[in-house]
Amino acid sequence: MNNTATDSAIEVCAGAATAGPVRELLSARTVQLGEGTEVRRLLPSLNRRMIGVWCFVDHYGPDDIAREPGMQVPPHPHIGLQTVSWLLDGEVHHRDSLGSNQLIRAGELALMTAGGGIAHSEQSPDPHSPVLHGAQLWVALPDADHARAARFEHHSELPVIIDRGLRATVLLGELAGARSPGRVHSPLVGVDIALAAGSDVRIPLEPDFEHAVLTVSGAADLDGELDPGTLCYLGCGRSELRLRAENDSRLLLLGGVPFAEEIVMWWNFVGRSGAEIAEARAQWQAELSGTGEGRFGAVRGYEGPALAAPELPSTPLRPRGRAARKA
Ligand code: MN
């Protein structure tokens, strides 16, 4: 997750509600996460780094893990972000250094606020369901909250809007007056949209937000077909989204006020400077070797070693804005 690739020039919203709607399809690149887990990374991508405060989007599965260990992600640290774990099928066991020990099932929200530092592990339980399918999303915390105390929230009850073939589950933020219980620190929205075959629906949007739609399954139509596994960036200035689906389809709608702050994203950290990232890395490595002060803490109950941080790049990590740099 090292942003050293050369970005190409793109058009972006200059600020909230200044740019009109666009329709830009971003395709995924395949990333290997530990042993046996392959994900499709949609954000950050070469052409786009953020959707509002959403700064990371991984989509995985549906994978047949009936005879496999499934997801096995050892303890690793985070700072400066919230992780949003959303399962479409299956379950994952979350443990963290606050002592959280929680099974997350499909349709339940796991929201971990890293703030100044936390460590967690994610594992398919044993035994587990035969199919694993989900999304791992990150929200960048604004500067005022980026070093706050860590916390973990598990919400098994989320607001659902049902309307003529539409079933919309509000993960974060608000849609049509229905608000998620998940605690956030900036204006954003995240919605799971299930469309029954033959549906033609209009979903209200906040025009000051920029939005994108990740097609998880099926192939809905949004001014043209959305292929499964793609992220469709929609820009700012839309007050509604018209979606049609010939077949059952599943989408994730992500949006938020365009993020004005410059951040450094490296490995599992979101910081404000290269020095902050280097300090977090050094503190994690010190904890792994048993000499650290406990900024992140141990993940109790996980059997096996934690993940070591990669080497920092040889060129300094510099804060960057939401737009991809012009080449
Ligand atoms: Mn993580």
Side-chain angles (χ1 to χ4, degrees):
M1 245 251 349
N2 189 350
N3 291 319
T4 52
T6 306
D7 292 333
S8 57
I10 48 150
E11 296 292 318
V12 294
C13 309
T18 53
V22 297
R23 187 184 186 283
E24 170 192 308
L25 275 180
L26 306 173
S27 51
R29 67 198 158 92
T30 303
V31 176
Q32 206 70 34
L33 283 193
E35 44 186 284
T37 307
E38 192 178 272
V39 303
R40 293 178 296 284
R41 183 152 302 158
L42 292 134
L43 215 64
S45 74
L46 281 183
N47 290 342
R48 192 157 294 281
R49 303 188 66 225
M50 297 181 81
I51 312 291
V53 285
W54 299 97
C55 60
F56 184 90
V57 176
D58 270 358
H59 176 212
Y60 53 89
D63 292 324
D64 178 356
I65 59 165
R67 289 175 184 79
E68 310 281 340
M71 183 183 291
Q72 297 296 331
V73 183
H76 59 279
H78 286 287
I79 65 167
L81 55 86
Q82 292 179 294
T83 63
V84 180
S85 303
W86 184 245
L87 290 166
L88 300 139
D89 221 329
E91 63 281 311
V92 168
H93 194 144
H94 166 98
R95 288 186 178 89
D96 66 42
S97 50
L98 299 173
S100 311
N101 182 1
Q102 182 67 53
L103 185 69
I104 316 296
R105 297 180 183 82
E108 300 177 351
L109 174 69
L111 176 62
M112 187 181 78
T113 305
I118 195 169
H120 73 144
S121 64
E122 297 153 293
Q123 292 176 286
S124 295
D126 183 18
H128 52 251
S129 301
V131 176
L132 181 64
H133 187 194
Q136 173 75 27
L137 314 165
W138 295 357
V139 168
L141 287 168
D143 195 35
D145 291 294
H146 92 282
R148 63 179 304 119
R151 65 175 189 272
F152 175 73
E153 298 169 49
H154 171 238
H155 299 286
S156 51
E157 298 285 329
L158 296 168
V160 175
I161 296 163
I162 294 173
D163 179 22
R164 288 171 302 171
L166 166 73
R167 182 185 166 87
T169 307
V170 186
L171 312 188
L172 286 180
E174 183 182 328
L175 182 78
R179 175 163 286 280
S180 163
R183 188 173 163 206
V184 294
H185 299 277
S186 54
L188 78 156
V189 71
V191 183
D192 178 297
I193 295 174
L195 296 170
S199 54
D200 181 351
V201 301
R202 291 173 193 271
I203 293 165
L205 298 181
E206 173 57 59
D208 287 350
F209 286 8
E210 58 180 342
H211 291 92
V213 169
L214 169 65
T215 304
V216 168
S217 63
D221 184 289
L222 193 170
D223 304 328
E225 193 163 298
L226 299 173
D227 293 329
T230 58
L231 185 70
C232 184
Y233 178 71
L234 300 168
C236 305
R238 290 176 188 260
S239 56
E240 68 170 20
L241 192 61
R242 184 179 182 187
L243 288 166
R244 288 174 283 194
E246 280 184 29
N247 305 308
D248 288 355
S249 299
R250 196 86 177 261
L251 314 158
L252 285 182
L253 169 68
L254 304 175
V257 170
F259 196 54
E261 298 176 23
E262 296 209 325
I263 57 173
V264 184
M265 276 183 72
W266 179 81
W267 194 40
N268 298 306
F269 302 143
V270 172
R272 292 299 182 281
S273 67
E276 184 187 350
I277 299 289
E279 182 185 36
R281 181 192 180 279
Q283 287 171 333
W284 173 249
Q285 291 300 102
E287 286 189 37
L288 287 190
S289 63
T291 58
E293 291 291 317
R295 173 177 182 177
F296 298 99
V299 179
R300 285 187 192 81
Y302 180 88
E303 291 174 19
L307 285 179
E311 293 296 326
L312 287 165
S314 52
T315 52
L317 292 166
R318 292 201 175 86
R320 300 169 64 192
R322 56 185 295 283
R325 285 260 192 270
K326 295 204 184 249

